[in-house]
Amino acid sequence: MAEKPPTSAAENVGSATAGTASGSAAQRPAAPEQNPAFRAMGLPRFRLPSRNWMIFFTVTGSFASAVIYDKWQTKRNRQKWCDLVSHLADEPLSTKTLPRRMTIYLAAPPGDGLRNAREHFHDYIKPVLVSAAMDWDVVEGRKEGDVRHKTAEKIRRKRKRAGEGEAMPAEEAEKEFMVDALREKAGTTEEAGVAGDLVVGRHTWKEYVRGMHEGWLGPADAPKQSDPEPTPDQEPATHIPGQPSLGDAAVKGAANVVDANAPSASAADTPEAEQKDQPENKPEEKKEVEEEKPKPRQPPPYITPSEYATASLSPSTPEMIGPSAGIRFPHILGFRNTPIRLYRFLTRRYLADDIGREVAASVLANYRPYSTSTAADEDSASGSQKTVPEQSQVLAHEERSWWKTTWDARKEHEESVWIEDMVLDERLASRMRKFELTSQDEDRAKRIGEGTEKVGKSSYPES
């Protein structure tokens, strides 16, 4: 018998692998047959994605669904408050009557720029004002102290218009009050009713209250600063007969400067090679000059909070200061606060509903006096209580989200309105009013949101 040729190691491994593959194929269950209808349409066999793909689709789908749902609800809440005040846009207005003009106070949040405040106004406040055909002025502040100064300056302008303070020259008065004079000459009047102020954010609210106190309690004109006495080095030099005059000294000084800058004759005659070999003359060491501190962005306040009690109230102060409302402005920075920021991003519908309520109340001109509350006095050891005005608690919860550098010690040239406690004068606090929506308007807004009430002028209850 012929002997079989010996098999190599590679052939043995190949036969073993083939045997294993055939065995596993025999143990593997057969794939189910595809639906004949799907196979006839040319559709591929449907299979579930793997575990990792299922996790990815679940996470991304859930987040996308939350964003889409929040945007839908935010739009509905915003439209609800726009429909509540839309009947005011249908009311006729004379051609010589200006619409109600509200004042919007915006300021850059602590640690950030003004862009976020502007976007906040355009997203939540402006749609309601436009729906009611309201007009508005915007007072912006890029840094701390801008809103305080502009608010006080606006009040001082009213006082000067009423005749307080020093008389302005005719040319300056004509330029300052040109627009008002033209409106009076044309017979243009403002629409009857209160105007009101909308203050966005806790930091802006503090500056607004400080500026209002400065405007009504401080002087109408800038306080005159006393000139500092001249030091011996700064005393003006006088000419003594027989001595060289100041003009001669100036001429000599200029000549010395020219001679110092001009190259000497010996240096001009010396070849460049010899000049390189000569040692360089080192300039004399200059005295260190103290760096000048940067000037403040706005002039200092005319009056400090410690002077409120002794200051006299302006005779032009109205019996009721225009109603105001604090508008929420949640703003937080920092990588560690990403979960909080993400939650606020997915729940903006609640913010739109709250801001829409405040703006609608201001448009409908519903207001009430600010109230007071009692709280435990932390400074007192006996546990006594103190009276806390409502103005000092407006949007107080936002201070916890401010950037940590806001609480650092301020430099001498910077203001610290944001971190200081709010000081209120009773004479002004009692004249302030707060916008608030009535229960009837709350019920109507609820019906509009549910779709059970038609929107239109005829559906609004006549007062």
Side-chain angles (χ1 to χ4, degrees):
M1 297 178 60
E3 296 182 356
K4 294 182 180 180
T7 58
S8 62
E11 292 179 358
N12 293 335
V13 171
S15 60
T17 305
T20 305
S22 59
S24 60
Q27 296 177 0
R28 185 184 306 166
E33 295 184 0
Q34 186 182 7
N35 191 318
F38 292 161
R39 185 169 61 253
M41 290 188 293
L43 297 177
R45 185 186 299 276
F46 176 75
R47 292 183 301 175
L48 290 175
S50 63
R51 178 180 64 87
N52 295 339
W53 278 110
M54 288 292 292
I55 295 175
F56 173 77
F57 288 142
T58 302
V59 173
T60 55
S62 301
F63 185 80
S65 301
V67 172
I68 294 173
Y69 176 77
D70 181 71
K71 286 187 175 182
W72 174 56
Q73 289 292 339
T74 301
K75 185 177 181 180
R76 286 190 58 186
N77 292 339
R78 187 190 302 116
Q79 189 63 35
K80 175 181 65 176
W81 299 112
C82 290
D83 295 340
L84 180 66
V85 300
S86 61
H87 66 281
L88 298 177
D90 300 331
E91 296 181 358
L93 194 65
S94 173
T95 55
K96 290 190 175 183
T97 303
L98 297 174
R100 282 178 55 203
R101 183 185 297 270
M102 304 195 69
T103 306
I104 314 297
Y105 291 88
L106 294 177
D112 211 333
L114 186 59
R115 180 180 177 181
N116 290 328
R118 289 176 175 173
E119 292 179 352
H120 190 76
F121 166 74
H122 283 280
D123 291 342
Y124 301 105
I125 302 176
K126 183 179 178 180
V128 183
L129 298 178
V130 172
S131 180
M134 292 283 295
D135 199 0
W136 65 84
D137 289 330
V138 180
V139 177
E140 293 184 343
R142 295 182 179 275
K143 285 189 177 181
E144 185 176 3
D146 290 357
V147 173
R148 186 271 308 164
H149 172 71
K150 293 179 180 180
T151 304
E153 194 66 24
K154 181 180 178 181
I155 298 174
R156 285 192 289 263
R157 186 174 180 272
K158 293 181 181 178
R159 295 173 59 182
K160 291 181 179 180
R161 181 71 172 171
E164 293 189 40
E166 298 180 359
M168 300 175 60
E171 297 181 357
E172 294 185 8
E174 184 179 355
K175 293 180 180 179
E176 183 74 15
F177 308 110
M178 181 183 297
V179 177
D180 298 339
L182 291 175
R183 288 176 178 175
E184 291 179 2
K185 186 177 180 180
T188 304
T189 58
E190 296 184 356
E191 184 180 1
V194 297
D197 303 327
L198 295 179
V199 187
V200 183
R202 170 71 173 181
H203 59 292
T204 315
W205 176 259
K206 279 191 168 183
E207 292 195 42
Y208 168 77
V209 174
R210 179 73 67 87
M212 186 185 62
H213 281 71
E214 180 185 343
W216 292 118
L217 294 177
D221 300 314
K224 298 180 180 179
Q225 299 180 356
S226 58
D227 297 334
E229 298 181 358
T231 58
D233 298 338
Q234 298 177 350
E235 291 182 356
T238 57
H239 176 63
I240 303 175
Q243 298 293 334
S245 62
L246 296 177
D248 298 338
V251 172
K252 291 181 180 180
N256 294 335
V257 172
V258 174
D259 294 340
N261 295 333
S264 60
S266 60
D269 299 338
T270 306
E272 295 182 0
E274 296 181 4
Q275 291 183 11
K276 292 181 180 179
D277 297 338
Q278 294 178 359
E280 297 181 358
N281 296 328
K282 297 182 180 181
E284 298 181 358
E285 297 181 358
K286 299 181 180 179
K287 297 181 179 180
E288 296 182 359
V289 181
E290 296 183 358
E291 297 181 359
E292 296 182 358
K293 295 181 180 180
K295 296 182 179 179
R297 183 181 179 89
Q298 298 294 349
Y302 293 3
I303 185 175
T304 58
S306 59
E307 301 173 352
Y308 290 167
T310 58
S312 58
L313 190 64
S314 169
S316 304
T317 308
E319 293 296 329
M320 184 194 72
I321 299 177
S324 58
I327 305 300
R328 287 178 55 191
F329 186 20
H331 185 269
I332 191 171
L333 299 174
F335 180 77
R336 295 181 179 179
N337 296 321
T338 300
I340 300 176
R341 299 176 65 182
L342 186 62
Y343 172 78
R344 292 179 177 179
F345 175 75
L346 297 176
T347 57
R348 289 181 295 179
R349 55 187 180 274
Y350 304 123
L351 181 64
D353 187 62
D354 183 75
I355 295 178
R357 179 182 291 101
E358 296 292 341
V359 179
S362 62
V363 170
L364 298 175
N366 300 320
Y367 56 88
R368 61 167 177 83
Y370 279 94
S371 60
T372 57
S373 59
T374 57
D377 190 357
E378 298 178 357
D379 299 336
S380 177
S382 59
S384 60
Q385 294 184 345
K386 62 179 180 179
T387 303
V388 180
E390 186 181 0
Q391 293 94 320
S392 62
Q393 301 300 319
V394 174
L395 305 176
H397 61 278
E398 292 186 359
E399 294 187 8
R400 297 192 296 266
S401 301
W402 288 354
W403 188 237
K404 56 185 178 181
T405 57
T406 308
W407 306 102
D408 295 344
R410 298 290 177 178
K411 299 180 181 179
E412 295 181 1
H413 66 276
E414 293 182 343
E415 298 189 29
S416 55
V417 182
W418 295 348
I419 63 176
E420 293 179 358
D421 295 334
M422 187 178 297
V423 180
L424 295 169
D425 187 82
E426 182 60 27
R427 293 168 293 179
L428 290 178
S430 60
R431 299 170 187 243
M432 296 179 65
R433 298 294 183 269
K434 174 181 174 56
F435 284 119
E436 189 175 46
L437 208 63
T438 61
S439 58
Q440 293 81 1
D441 292 329
E442 283 276 8
D443 296 339
R444 182 170 180 265
K446 185 177 180 180
R447 294 194 299 270
I448 292 175
E450 295 174 353
T452 59
E453 181 175 341
K454 297 181 180 180
V455 179
K457 183 178 179 181
S458 59
S459 62
Y460 190 79
E462 298 181 0
S463 57

mmCIF file of all heavy atoms in Angstrom, residues 169-196:
data_model
loop_
_atom_site.group_PDB
_atom_site.id
_atom_site.type_symbol
_atom_site.label_atom_id
_atom_site.label_comp_id
_atom_site.label_asym_id
_atom_site.label_seq_id
_atom_site.Cartn_x
_atom_site.Cartn_y
_atom_site.Cartn_z
ATOM 1 N N PRO A 169 -27.157 129.145 30.851
ATOM 2 C CA PRO A 169 -27.114 130.123 29.753
ATOM 3 C C PRO A 169 -28.160 129.809 28.695
ATOM 4 O O PRO A 169 -28.603 128.662 28.539
ATOM 5 C CB PRO A 169 -25.686 129.968 29.211
ATOM 6 C CG PRO A 169 -24.908 129.383 30.333
ATOM 7 C CD PRO A 169 -25.866 128.513 31.095
ATOM 8 N N ALA A 170 -28.576 130.841 27.992
ATOM 9 C CA ALA A 170 -29.664 130.673 27.018
ATOM 10 C C ALA A 170 -29.303 129.657 25.942
ATOM 11 O O ALA A 170 -30.139 128.837 25.545
ATOM 12 C CB ALA A 170 -29.997 132.027 26.388
ATOM 13 N N GLU A 171 -28.064 129.671 25.469
ATOM 14 C CA GLU A 171 -27.669 128.738 24.409
ATOM 15 C C GLU A 171 -27.676 127.299 24.898
ATOM 16 O O GLU A 171 -28.171 126.401 24.212
ATOM 17 C CB GLU A 171 -26.283 129.122 23.882
ATOM 18 C CG GLU A 171 -26.233 130.502 23.228
ATOM 19 C CD GLU A 171 -24.855 130.822 22.704
ATOM 20 O OE1 GLU A 171 -23.947 129.976 22.919
ATOM 21 O OE2 GLU A 171 -24.681 131.894 22.097
ATOM 22 N N GLU A 172 -27.152 127.071 26.105
ATOM 23 C CA GLU A 172 -27.144 125.715 26.640
ATOM 24 C C GLU A 172 -28.561 125.230 26.921
ATOM 25 O O GLU A 172 -28.890 124.069 26.671
ATOM 26 C CB GLU A 172 -26.301 125.661 27.912
ATOM 27 C CG GLU A 172 -24.818 125.920 27.681
ATOM 28 C CD GLU A 172 -24.015 125.744 28.956
ATOM 29 O OE1 GLU A 172 -24.618 125.272 29.950
ATOM 30 O OE2 GLU A 172 -22.820 126.062 28.966
ATOM 31 N N ALA A 173 -29.407 126.103 27.456
ATOM 32 C CA ALA A 173 -30.781 125.699 27.724
ATOM 33 C C ALA A 173 -31.524 125.370 26.446
ATOM 34 O O ALA A 173 -32.346 124.441 26.395
ATOM 35 C CB ALA A 173 -31.505 126.810 28.478
ATOM 36 N N GLU A 174 -31.250 126.120 25.386
ATOM 37 C CA GLU A 174 -31.913 125.852 24.108
ATOM 38 C C GLU A 174 -31.494 124.503 23.546
ATOM 39 O O GLU A 174 -32.324 123.756 23.007
ATOM 40 C CB GLU A 174 -31.571 126.966 23.118
ATOM 41 C CG GLU A 174 -32.292 126.826 21.782
ATOM 42 C CD GLU A 174 -31.954 127.960 20.832
ATOM 43 O OE1 GLU A 174 -31.233 128.883 21.257
ATOM 44 O OE2 GLU A 174 -32.423 127.912 19.677
ATOM 45 N N LYS A 175 -30.212 124.152 23.674
ATOM 46 C CA LYS A 175 -29.759 122.852 23.196
ATOM 47 C C LYS A 175 -30.266 121.720 24.086
ATOM 48 O O LYS A 175 -30.628 120.651 23.606
ATOM 49 C CB LYS A 175 -28.230 122.824 23.152
ATOM 50 C CG LYS A 175 -27.630 123.768 22.120
ATOM 51 C CD LYS A 175 -26.102 123.685 22.135
ATOM 52 C CE LYS A 175 -25.471 124.625 21.119
ATOM 53 N NZ LYS A 175 -23.988 124.565 21.153
ATOM 54 N N GLU A 176 -30.319 121.953 25.404
ATOM 55 C CA GLU A 176 -30.705 120.899 26.336
ATOM 56 C C GLU A 176 -32.164 120.526 26.200
ATOM 57 O O GLU A 176 -32.541 119.350 26.235
ATOM 58 C CB GLU A 176 -30.400 121.365 27.762
ATOM 59 C CG GLU A 176 -30.679 120.335 28.836
ATOM 60 C CD GLU A 176 -29.653 119.227 28.851
ATOM 61 O OE1 GLU A 176 -28.571 119.395 28.233
ATOM 62 O OE2 GLU A 176 -29.933 118.194 29.472
ATOM 63 N N PHE A 177 -33.005 121.528 26.024
ATOM 64 C CA PHE A 177 -34.448 121.294 25.991
ATOM 65 C C PHE A 177 -35.030 121.598 24.613
ATOM 66 O O PHE A 177 -36.156 122.069 24.489
ATOM 67 C CB PHE A 177 -35.146 122.151 27.054
ATOM 68 C CG PHE A 177 -34.561 122.002 28.422
ATOM 69 C CD1 PHE A 177 -33.843 123.030 29.010
ATOM 70 C CD2 PHE A 177 -34.717 120.825 29.128
ATOM 71 C CE1 PHE A 177 -33.309 122.899 30.280
ATOM 72 C CE2 PHE A 177 -34.179 120.673 30.392
ATOM 73 C CZ PHE A 177 -33.476 121.713 30.966
ATOM 74 N N MET A 178 -34.254 121.333 23.574
ATOM 75 C CA MET A 178 -34.711 121.643 22.224
ATOM 76 C C MET A 178 -35.904 120.782 21.825
ATOM 77 O O MET A 178 -36.905 121.269 21.290
ATOM 78 C CB MET A 178 -33.569 121.449 21.217
ATOM 79 C CG MET A 178 -33.941 121.779 19.777
ATOM 80 S SD MET A 178 -32.595 121.437 18.638
ATOM 81 C CE MET A 178 -31.365 122.592 19.228
ATOM 82 N N VAL A 179 -35.810 119.474 22.102
ATOM 83 C CA VAL A 179 -36.886 118.560 21.705
ATOM 84 C C VAL A 179 -38.178 118.896 22.446
ATOM 85 O O VAL A 179 -39.265 118.918 21.848
ATOM 86 C CB VAL A 179 -36.463 117.101 21.963
ATOM 87 C CG1 VAL A 179 -37.596 116.153 21.617
ATOM 88 C CG2 VAL A 179 -35.224 116.752 21.157
ATOM 89 N N ASP A 180 -38.078 119.182 23.736
ATOM 90 C CA ASP A 180 -39.276 119.538 24.498
ATOM 91 C C ASP A 180 -39.906 120.824 23.987
ATOM 92 O O ASP A 180 -41.140 120.948 23.906
ATOM 93 C CB ASP A 180 -38.921 119.683 25.975
ATOM 94 C CG ASP A 180 -38.409 118.386 26.573
ATOM 95 O OD1 ASP A 180 -38.707 117.322 25.990
ATOM 96 O OD2 ASP A 180 -37.697 118.426 27.584
ATOM 97 N N ALA A 181 -39.066 121.790 23.614
ATOM 98 C CA ALA A 181 -39.599 123.056 23.109
ATOM 99 C C ALA A 181 -40.296 122.864 21.766
ATOM 100 O O ALA A 181 -41.356 123.464 21.513
ATOM 101 C CB ALA A 181 -38.475 124.077 22.980
ATOM 102 N N LEU A 182 -39.734 122.036 20.912
ATOM 103 C CA LEU A 182 -40.369 121.793 19.617
ATOM 104 C C LEU A 182 -41.712 121.083 19.780
ATOM 105 O O LEU A 182 -42.674 121.373 19.052
ATOM 106 C CB LEU A 182 -39.438 120.960 18.733
ATOM 107 C CG LEU A 182 -38.151 121.654 18.246
ATOM 108 C CD1 LEU A 182 -37.280 120.669 17.483
ATOM 109 C CD2 LEU A 182 -38.484 122.855 17.371
ATOM 110 N N ARG A 183 -41.797 120.150 20.722
ATOM 111 C CA ARG A 183 -43.066 119.457 20.947
ATOM 112 C C ARG A 183 -44.116 120.401 21.509
ATOM 113 O O ARG A 183 -45.295 120.335 21.128
ATOM 114 C CB ARG A 183 -42.848 118.270 21.882
ATOM 115 C CG ARG A 183 -42.091 117.113 21.243
ATOM 116 C CD ARG A 183 -41.826 116.009 22.239
ATOM 117 N NE ARG A 183 -41.130 114.882 21.604
ATOM 118 C CZ ARG A 183 -40.679 113.816 22.253
ATOM 119 N NH1 ARG A 183 -40.833 113.735 23.587
ATOM 120 N NH2 ARG A 183 -40.072 112.846 21.602
ATOM 121 N N GLU A 184 -43.707 121.286 22.406
ATOM 122 C CA GLU A 184 -44.665 122.245 22.939
ATOM 123 C C GLU A 184 -45.145 123.207 21.855
ATOM 124 O O GLU A 184 -46.325 123.565 21.800
ATOM 125 C CB GLU A 184 -44.022 123.021 24.087
ATOM 126 C CG GLU A 184 -43.764 122.185 25.334
ATOM 127 C CD GLU A 184 -43.110 123.002 26.432
ATOM 128 O OE1 GLU A 184 -42.899 124.223 26.210
ATOM 129 O OE2 GLU A 184 -42.799 122.435 27.497
ATOM 130 N N LYS A 185 -44.239 123.602 20.985
ATOM 131 C CA LYS A 185 -44.616 124.516 19.914
ATOM 132 C C LYS A 185 -45.575 123.861 18.930
ATOM 133 O O LYS A 185 -46.488 124.522 18.402
ATOM 134 C CB LYS A 185 -43.355 124.982 19.190
ATOM 135 C CG LYS A 185 -43.606 126.052 18.134
ATOM 136 C CD LYS A 185 -42.298 126.510 17.508
ATOM 137 C CE LYS A 185 -42.547 127.593 16.456
ATOM 138 N NZ LYS A 185 -41.264 128.059 15.828
ATOM 139 N N ALA A 186 -45.378 122.561 18.658
ATOM 140 C CA ALA A 186 -46.262 121.849 17.723
ATOM 141 C C ALA A 186 -47.545 121.373 18.373
ATOM 142 O O ALA A 186 -48.429 120.855 17.675
ATOM 143 C CB ALA A 186 -45.514 120.655 17.124
ATOM 144 N N GLY A 187 -47.667 121.524 19.677
ATOM 145 C CA GLY A 187 -48.871 121.068 20.364
ATOM 146 C C GLY A 187 -48.930 119.579 20.585
ATOM 147 O O GLY A 187 -50.009 119.010 20.771
ATOM 148 N N THR A 188 -47.785 118.919 20.600
ATOM 149 C CA THR A 188 -47.736 117.468 20.812
ATOM 150 C C THR A 188 -47.776 117.168 22.297
ATOM 151 O O THR A 188 -47.015 117.751 23.079
ATOM 152 C CB THR A 188 -46.462 116.884 20.185
ATOM 153 O OG1 THR A 188 -46.409 117.240 18.800
ATOM 154 C CG2 THR A 188 -46.445 115.372 20.309
ATOM 155 N N THR A 189 -48.638 116.279 22.683
ATOM 156 C CA THR A 189 -48.786 115.898 24.087
ATOM 157 C C THR A 189 -48.597 114.395 24.227
ATOM 158 O O THR A 189 -48.642 113.643 23.238
ATOM 159 C CB THR A 189 -50.169 116.286 24.614
ATOM 160 O OG1 THR A 189 -51.181 115.635 23.810
ATOM 161 C CG2 THR A 189 -50.371 117.801 24.557
ATOM 162 N N GLU A 190 -48.379 113.968 25.453
ATOM 163 C CA GLU A 190 -48.220 112.545 25.743
ATOM 164 C C GLU A 190 -49.548 111.928 26.136
ATOM 165 O O GLU A 190 -50.437 112.610 26.664
ATOM 166 C CB GLU A 190 -47.198 112.352 26.865
ATOM 167 C CG GLU A 190 -45.792 112.805 26.507
ATOM 168 C CD GLU A 190 -44.799 112.516 27.603
ATOM 169 O OE1 GLU A 190 -45.246 112.022 28.664
ATOM 170 O OE2 GLU A 190 -43.603 112.783 27.416
ATOM 171 N N GLU A 191 -49.673 110.651 25.881
ATOM 172 C CA GLU A 191 -50.905 109.934 26.203
ATOM 173 C C GLU A 191 -51.124 109.914 27.707
ATOM 174 O O GLU A 191 -50.175 109.787 28.494
ATOM 175 C CB GLU A 191 -50.825 108.503 25.666
ATOM 176 C CG GLU A 191 -52.104 107.699 25.856
ATOM 177 C CD GLU A 191 -51.972 106.299 25.313
ATOM 178 O OE1 GLU A 191 -50.872 105.959 24.811
ATOM 179 O OE2 GLU A 191 -52.954 105.542 25.401
ATOM 180 N N ALA A 192 -52.355 110.079 28.115
ATOM 181 C CA ALA A 192 -52.675 110.084 29.543
ATOM 182 C C ALA A 192 -52.409 108.701 30.128
ATOM 183 O O ALA A 192 -52.643 107.672 29.496
ATOM 184 C CB ALA A 192 -54.130 110.481 29.748
ATOM 185 N N GLY A 193 -51.936 108.703 31.337
ATOM 186 C CA GLY A 193 -51.634 107.444 32.008
ATOM 187 C C GLY A 193 -50.198 107.422 32.485
ATOM 188 O O GLY A 193 -49.361 108.234 32.069
ATOM 189 N N VAL A 194 -49.929 106.462 33.351
ATOM 190 C CA VAL A 194 -48.579 106.352 33.901
ATOM 191 C C VAL A 194 -47.662 105.703 32.882
ATOM 192 O O VAL A 194 -48.095 104.923 32.032
ATOM 193 C CB VAL A 194 -48.599 105.533 35.207
ATOM 194 C CG1 VAL A 194 -49.421 106.240 36.268
ATOM 195 C CG2 VAL A 194 -49.148 104.133 34.956
ATOM 196 N N ALA A 195 -46.392 106.053 32.952
ATOM 197 C CA ALA A 195 -45.400 105.463 32.051
ATOM 198 C C ALA A 195 -44.778 104.236 32.706
ATOM 199 O O ALA A 195 -45.049 103.104 32.332
ATOM 200 C CB ALA A 195 -44.341 106.495 31.685
ATOM 201 N N GLY A 196 -43.964 104.465 33.719
ATOM 202 C CA GLY A 196 -43.394 103.341 34.443
ATOM 203 C C GLY A 196 -42.008 102.963 33.962
ATOM 204 O O GLY A 196 -41.563 103.354 32.876
#
